[in-house]
Amino acid sequence: MTEQFENQFLAFITNEMQQDPAHDINHVIRVVSMAKSLCYEEKANIDVVLPAAYLHDCFTFPKNHPNRALSSVKAADKALSFLNSCGYPKQFDSEIHHAIVAHSYSANVVPETLEAKIVQDADRLDSLGAIGIARCIQVSASFGSQLYSADDPFCDKRETQDKAFTVDHFFTKLFKLESLMNTDSAKAEASRRTQYMKGFLNQLKQEIE
């Protein structure tokens, strides 16, 4: 049933999302693809997972906005308004709303359903691996950050400053994501992607020291 709405979901998110270096339509497509895979592996309800994955970023405050943590609530409200307008079954409204609200790292909302866990996992997996490295560098560049601290590149003896140095963000957030995954399938994928990122830092260390 849900698949017949996919073109409408894609058209809406393409037109409505406020794109930034880390959140563009390719991010949404990757999250949807991963969410579908996790949904199949974990035997979840695709009628909840798919619209939530497509629409999770239909509204976002800018990265440094003081109301950033409220983005997912506004996105969830906007998504339901759209879904109701296009005739999507209302029986899934509350679960879709919760899944979108809970996907956000900054909102710090615990996912209460398997479907919400999957959407959160899919979104967080896109911050890991090769894509995660590229997105981290893109966002840091938009802040005017340096790649690393010349005095202590890997935060061995200093507090992290991830607004000033790209590499610091690996330690403040990205390397923590593996332990925060909800589903077994996501935990396995997060482990693989995190190891790749650690390999990147090892290579960087060899090149700069």
Side-chain angles (χ1 to χ4, degrees), residues 165-198:
F165 306 110
T166 304
V167 167
D168 288 27
H169 194 60
F170 286 53
F171 301 105
T172 58
K173 177 182 176 181
L174 303 183
F175 285 157
K176 297 177 181 179
L177 293 179
E178 179 182 354
S179 67
L180 299 176
M181 294 295 161
N182 301 288
T183 62
D184 289 341
S185 304
K187 289 174 183 176
E189 181 62 23
S191 178
R192 288 189 287 270
R193 295 190 183 199
T194 300
Q195 288 305 308
Y196 179 89
M197 297 174 80
K198 289 179 178 178

Side-chain angles (χ1 to χ4, degrees), residues 53 90 131 160 184:
K90 290 182 67 63
I131 284 291
T160 56
D184 289 341

